[in-house]
Amino acid sequence: MLKMLGKLTGLLLLILLVVPAQAQQERKHIRSGNRLYNEALLDSGRVDSVKMELAEQKYRKATEKKSDSFAAGFNLGNALFKQKKYEDAIGQYQLLTNKTDDKKELGQLYYNLGNAWLAKGNLKKSLESYKNSLRANPNDTAAKYNLAVVQKMLNDPQQQQQQQQQQDQEQNQDQEQQEQQQQDQQQQQDQQQQQDQGIEGQQDKQEQQEGQQGQEQSKEDKQEGKEGKAVKEDQISKEDAERVLQLLQMQEQKVMQKLQDQKSNQKRRKIDKDW
């Protein structure tokens, strides 16, 4: 294990010489990260976690300045490994294998990738990584040594049983993660559907309210029309008016005739009396 860690440190320094940074800002962050990285390596393989995390941040800033920087990405993987963030380190190394065709760089990447898989306890993937390292760089004695060690561990019955348990555990974890992701996706879909239905319901309610308001407004308009309309007085036809006039005239004639008859009778009585 000390040999692997020494190899990892050596790769960090070596790669900085082989792959110099291009941009000024990138070089600045890499230099700062290297200084913190080396300061974080204490005696007996101990690591100052605070300084190593700061080194990680510097390397991340370097990758932001130049995303295809092999030096920044490689050193970032090493900083993650030193913090025992093996999953993140593996992801970083695997990412870089797709960004370079250089045999020496690939040999270094697969060697460190083998160390990360070994630290996680996955012997088969560690073995395959060391093989890939030797395919890229057949003269790497450290990769040959680690390959032999892992092969011997895999031939040990007890190690085989532990390896099988490790694989079963990883499969279960992967399955649980997939199920959790599916549940999260379903929950998101359900929430989105509920939100969509809520929006549609609000729109329908708003349309109904607007329709009711329109109906009420129409009723009010009609009512205002009725109240505002002038009330006509009762009228009679011309013929009815003439008949009424004739009746009035006839009544008037009768009254006049009656008055005349009364006067005549008074005159007669007066004459008769005088006689």
Side-chain angles (χ1 to χ4, degrees):
M1 183 60 71
L2 290 177
K3 186 173 182 179
M4 288 190 294
L5 295 177
K7 175 70 175 182
L8 193 66
T9 305
L11 283 174
L12 172 65
L13 299 176
L14 176 62
I15 198 62
L16 292 175
L17 296 175
V18 174
V19 187
Q22 301 298 323
Q24 183 177 359
Q25 289 296 323
E26 177 206 10
R27 288 196 300 270
K28 178 181 177 181
H29 290 308
I30 290 178
R31 286 195 298 268
S32 298
N34 292 345
R35 177 178 55 80
L36 290 166
Y37 183 96
N38 291 323
E39 290 176 358
L41 297 177
L42 306 177
D43 297 335
S44 303
R46 293 181 298 112
V47 175
D48 186 329
S49 59
V50 175
K51 288 187 177 181
M52 190 60 71
E53 185 176 0
L54 292 174
E56 174 194 342
Q57 294 174 3
K58 291 296 182 180
Y59 294 139
R60 288 191 184 280
K61 289 181 179 180
T63 59
E64 291 174 0
K65 296 297 181 181
K66 193 171 186 293
S67 59
D68 60 346
S69 172
F70 182 85
F74 186 83
N75 293 352
L76 173 59
N78 293 344
L80 292 169
F81 182 93
K82 289 295 185 179
Q83 296 177 83
K84 299 183 179 181
K85 299 178 181 179
Y86 301 126
E87 285 285 353
D88 294 337
I90 289 170
Q92 183 63 28
Y93 292 141
Q94 288 177 332
L95 179 66
L96 289 174
T97 59
N98 298 322
K99 292 186 176 182
T100 181
D101 295 327
D102 185 273
K103 293 296 184 180
K104 193 170 185 178
E105 291 177 353
L106 285 172
Q108 294 167 341
L109 277 171
Y110 281 116
Y111 180 87
N112 284 8
L113 190 57
N115 292 345
W117 282 120
L118 182 60
K120 273 185 62 66
N122 194 320
L123 298 181
K124 289 185 178 181
K125 289 186 177 181
S126 176
L127 180 70
E128 188 61 31
S129 296
Y130 291 136
K131 287 181 179 180
N132 288 332
S133 176
L134 290 171
R135 291 186 183 103
N137 183 12
N139 298 321
D140 190 333
T141 56
K144 291 180 181 180
Y145 175 84
N146 287 359
L147 177 64
V149 172
V150 173
Q151 284 178 331
K152 185 177 180 180
M153 293 172 66
L154 285 171
N155 292 331
D156 187 331
Q158 185 177 358
Q159 288 289 342
Q160 289 179 356
Q161 183 179 1
Q162 292 178 355
Q163 184 64 22
Q164 185 61 44
Q165 292 175 351
Q166 178 71 19
Q167 289 180 350
D168 294 341
Q169 184 178 359
E170 290 180 355
Q171 289 178 354
N172 292 333
Q173 289 177 350
D174 292 340
Q175 184 175 358
E176 290 176 357
Q177 288 178 354
Q178 290 178 356
E179 292 176 354
Q180 185 62 40
Q181 289 177 353
Q182 291 177 354
Q183 290 179 358
D184 294 340
Q185 291 177 354
Q186 186 62 41
Q187 288 179 354
Q188 291 178 356
Q189 291 177 357
D190 293 341
Q191 290 177 355
Q192 185 63 40
Q193 186 175 3
Q194 291 177 357
Q195 290 177 357
D196 294 340
Q197 290 177 351
I199 293 173
E200 291 177 357
Q202 291 178 356
Q203 290 177 348
D204 293 339
K205 185 176 180 180
Q206 184 176 359
E207 290 177 357
Q208 291 177 357
Q209 291 177 348
E210 291 177 352
Q212 291 176 355
Q213 291 175 356
Q215 291 177 356
E216 292 175 357
Q217 185 64 36
S218 178
K219 291 180 181 179
E220 291 177 358
D221 293 341
K222 291 180 180 179
Q223 185 65 28
E224 290 178 357
K226 289 181 181 180
E227 294 176 353
K229 187 176 180 181
V231 180
K232 293 183 179 180
E233 296 180 358
D234 293 336
Q235 296 181 355
I236 59 176
S237 64
K238 185 177 180 181
E239 292 80 4
D240 292 338
E242 291 178 350
R243 283 196 294 270
V244 171
L245 182 59
Q246 290 177 356
L247 289 172
L248 290 174
Q249 289 176 350
M250 289 174 63
Q251 290 177 356
E252 185 178 0
Q253 289 176 357
K254 287 180 179 180
V255 171
M256 293 299 295
Q257 184 65 40
K258 188 175 181 179
L259 290 172
Q260 289 178 359
D261 290 343
Q262 289 177 354
K263 288 180 180 180
S264 297
N265 291 332
Q266 289 177 356
K267 287 179 179 181
R268 288 194 190 99
R269 288 194 194 101
K270 188 175 181 181
I271 294 172
D272 293 338
K273 187 177 180 181
D274 291 342
W275 288 352

